[in-house]
Amino acid sequence: MNITQASKMPGIRQRMSLMPGWTTEIVICAPQKFVWEQVTDFEAYSDWNPFVLQAYAQFEAEGTICFKENLKQFGQHWIKAQFLSIDLPNSFVWQGHFGTPFLFSVRHSFMFESINEHQTRFTQVHKNSGLLIPYLAWRGVYCISYQGYLNYNQALKERCESRVADL
């Protein structure tokens, strides 16, 4: 599913299909450690990331991350989450919630897989839970969020590949 800004609201089936979460993946022509460094330089997100406009993190297990997402017609909002695990330079996971966890929780995993010394597979896994999930899916929030993470991946690819070429 690829939703453009010019397209109309996706059908109910398409909106509800994202209710439990989604996975995005992109191959980046840059070494794994380099991609890791770009993703974990949270304060630089405002320089390149079209979806996560700002981020501040205490990047350690049980540390926190605060970030501002751009959900287009649903507005920009801050999320505060906690790092559950960090396995340098392979993966990290954070979990956050809105209000109380039973209303809305999200768990997001970032995985960096070295394909070879010059290519990395970057994967994001996003899992939703809570009472508000069907309502948010019905409204189309997850379609916008999913597209936001696809845009994040593409911007990351462009950033990494242009910077590696300059080295």
Side-chain angles (χ1 to χ4, degrees), residues 23-36 39 89-91 109-125 153 156-157 160-161:
T23 298
T24 64
E25 182 178 288
I26 196 164
V27 173
I28 300 171
C29 294
Q32 177 184 10
K33 188 173 186 293
F34 189 82
V35 177
W36 171 274
V39 172
N90 302 306
S91 66
S109 303
F110 298 76
M111 293 167 278
F112 306 77
E113 177 191 350
S114 179
I115 297 170
N116 59 47
E117 66 183 71
H118 303 291
Q119 288 185 310
T120 303
R121 178 176 286 98
F122 175 64
T123 305
Q124 297 188 66
V125 178
N153 289 358
L156 175 64
K157 177 180 176 70
C160 289
E161 292 177 358

